[in-house]
Amino acid sequence: MKEQLAKIKADAVSAFQSATDAAGLEALRVKYLGKKGELTAVLKMMGKLSPEERPVMGQLANDVRAALEGALEDCSKKLEAAALEQRLKDEALDVTIPGKQAVIGHQHPMNIALEEMKDIFIGMGFTVMDGPEVELAELNFDRLNAEEGHPSRDWSDTFYFDTDSRVMLRSQTSPMQVRAMDTMPLPIRIVAPGRVYRKDEVDATHSPMFHQVEGMVIDKGVTMADLKGTLNAVAEKLFGEGTVTRFRPHHFPFTEPSCEMDIQCHKCGGAGCPTCKGEGWIELLGAGMVHPRVLEMSGIDPEVYSGWAFGIGLERTALRRFKIDDLRLIFENDVRFLEQF
Ligand code: PHE
């Protein structure tokens, strides 16, 4: 039995030392020290010993058990330390590797054009106003002197939300004129940029959603000369000194007289080329003197006050400003395109 114990001890210690991981070591613990293990099997035979031998063997068996447990503990610690070492090695972070460059975007060309425009008007004493894209037809049409039956009210042109045509996506920023007159004290000097919606098919110059910047001035003694002077100054600031403009008579229900302002084509200087479709001029905005009836509907006495208003197409301005020839590029948001501005 003595020899058996000595052999178990030698075998077990060498086995423990050759274990390569915690699971292997645990299996060896069960093999040698477990309830059905080799050491227990020997202890079970103690009963067969003589009373003199029993305490001696008992003592020896206990010593062997203590030695095995000690060796097991040592091996387990060694394996843990090795595992930790390996983990530290695996998870090591090389702080000297260069980082990934973060891609920083920039403003969309439409936003650049809008910010420029706002700056120009703020510099002239205008206030920037914001308003809803879902608008009442009353403000988009009636209060702007476009009564029932006006062609622009047609279902084929306008996005309505209801069957009785009361709520709609605004088709122009002009209802902001009414909102300004309804909420602001006189004199009024506002610009109101925002999205507008019309049932247009997408092509190089059309989109069912686009942006306008509305402008309005109401004060005593305001004339068409102020309108022309202001818009000429804005055109020069936007498109460069010496930009030539032209005012053509036009019709809008809410202005009288009404006009459209063109700028001379920067490419051909007015001779006519593909950029201006042979016209020599590029249409930029609609404008006019606020119709007396529109003033009256907002409770402003047209005998005392007069005003003018304009609506600039923002896409059109951005296209001119950045010499882009297709409106769709503005909305597709291809970074290869956007990166150029
Ligand atoms: N709202 C007009 C349009 O969308 C433009 C305009 C605004 C005309 C203000 C006159 C005055 O075409």
Side-chain angles (χ1 to χ4, degrees):
M1 185 173 264
K2 218 175 180 175
E3 291 80 58
Q4 252 176 315
L5 283 172
K7 184 170 171 358
I8 290 175
K9 186 178 169 190
D11 286 356
V13 168
S14 101
F16 289 167
Q17 278 166 354
S18 64
T20 52
D21 57 24
L25 195 60
E26 171 61 13
L28 292 170
R29 186 191 66 78
V30 173
K31 180 171 185 228
Y32 292 104
L33 289 165
K35 269 193 199 130
K36 292 175 183 160
E38 293 187 16
L39 187 60
T40 316
V42 173
L43 290 178
K44 274 181 189 153
M45 300 193 304
M46 294 280 263
K48 289 180 188 150
L49 294 175
S50 66
E52 299 81 55
E53 276 179 313
R54 221 175 281 158
V56 182
M57 279 303 149
Q59 180 63 45
L60 189 62
N62 277 341
D63 289 350
V64 170
R65 173 177 290 279
L68 291 194
E69 279 169 354
L72 191 70
E73 173 85 15
D74 287 351
C75 289
S76 161
K77 275 193 184 138
K78 247 191 348 227
L79 284 178
E80 255 171 50
L84 178 66
E85 186 72 19
Q86 189 57 39
R87 237 191 30 241
L88 287 175
K89 222 189 257 167
D90 291 347
E91 293 172 6
L93 192 67
D94 184 352
V95 292
T96 65
I97 293 175
K100 275 194 194 140
Q101 189 91 43
V103 183
I104 298 173
H106 60 75
Q107 285 206 82
H108 191 282
M110 283 281 291
N111 238 13
I112 300 173
L114 175 60
E115 287 305 319
E116 280 181 4
M117 188 119 54
K118 283 206 271 191
D119 276 352
I120 294 169
F121 281 105
I122 289 168
M124 291 175 159
F126 285 69
T127 302
V128 179
M129 214 180 148
D130 198 11
E133 291 168 31
V134 176
E135 184 57 283
L136 296 171
E138 185 194 346
L139 271 69
N140 195 94
F141 294 126
D142 301 271
R143 297 278 302 274
L144 289 167
N145 202 31
E147 273 142 23
E148 245 16 279
H150 192 275
S152 62
R153 301 186 71 135
D154 206 281
W155 271 78
S156 59
D157 292 327
T158 300
F159 294 102
Y160 289 103
F161 285 90
D162 50 355
T163 44
D164 50 357
S165 312
R166 285 185 54 246
V167 184
M168 56 180 287
L169 285 172
R170 66 180 175 189
S171 62
Q172 50 184 357
T173 43
S174 298
M176 292 307 292
Q177 294 183 29
V178 179
R179 289 183 176 273
M181 289 187 285
D182 283 354
T183 57
M184 297 176 92
L186 295 167
I188 288 171
R189 221 185 290 171
I190 57 115
V191 282
R195 292 189 189 94
V196 302
Y197 302 83
R198 291 180 195 174
K199 286 187 181 168
D200 283 330
E201 295 288 336
V202 175
D203 66 21
T205 52
H206 291 89
S207 157
M209 185 282 292
F210 57 101
H211 297 74
Q212 289 186 331
V213 180
E214 195 77 9
M216 181 183 226
V217 172
I218 301 179
D219 203 347
K220 289 176 179 157
V222 169
T223 72
M224 191 98 182
D226 301 314
L227 167 68
K228 290 183 74 173
T230 305
L231 292 180
N232 277 335
V234 170
E236 285 209 310
K237 287 223 170 85
L238 276 176
F239 303 109
E241 245 170 77
T243 298
V244 182
T245 62
R246 164 176 96 169
F247 291 81
R248 278 181 292 104
H250 200 76
H251 171 77
F252 298 104
F254 39 91
T255 46
E256 182 58 37
S258 303
C259 62
E260 282 191 326
M261 186 181 96
D262 303 333
I263 53 169
Q264 199 171 61
C265 180
H266 65 97
K267 266 238 164 90
C268 62
C273 70
T275 301
C276 55
K277 296 190 194 112
E279 296 279 323
W281 297 87
I282 292 152
E283 180 199 318
L284 200 67
L285 59 87
M289 299 305 293
V290 181
H291 199 294
R293 212 152 350 144
V294 171
L295 292 175
E296 264 168 3
M297 279 190 277
S298 293
I300 297 171
D301 185 353
E303 297 297 329
V304 182
Y305 284 95
S306 57
W308 48 261
F310 65 85
I312 298 188
L314 192 57
E315 281 78 6
R316 204 170 278 184
T317 311
L319 294 190
R320 305 263 4 94
R321 169 78 179 65
F322 296 112
K323 303 188 172 50
I324 302 164
D325 57 11
D326 194 320
L327 179 63
R328 286 166 290 198
L329 291 166
I330 290 275
F331 296 122
E332 277 165 3
N333 286 332
D334 186 328
V335 264
R336 290 167 301 178
F337 167 75
L338 295 177
E339 269 166 3
Q340 301 171 50
F341 303 98

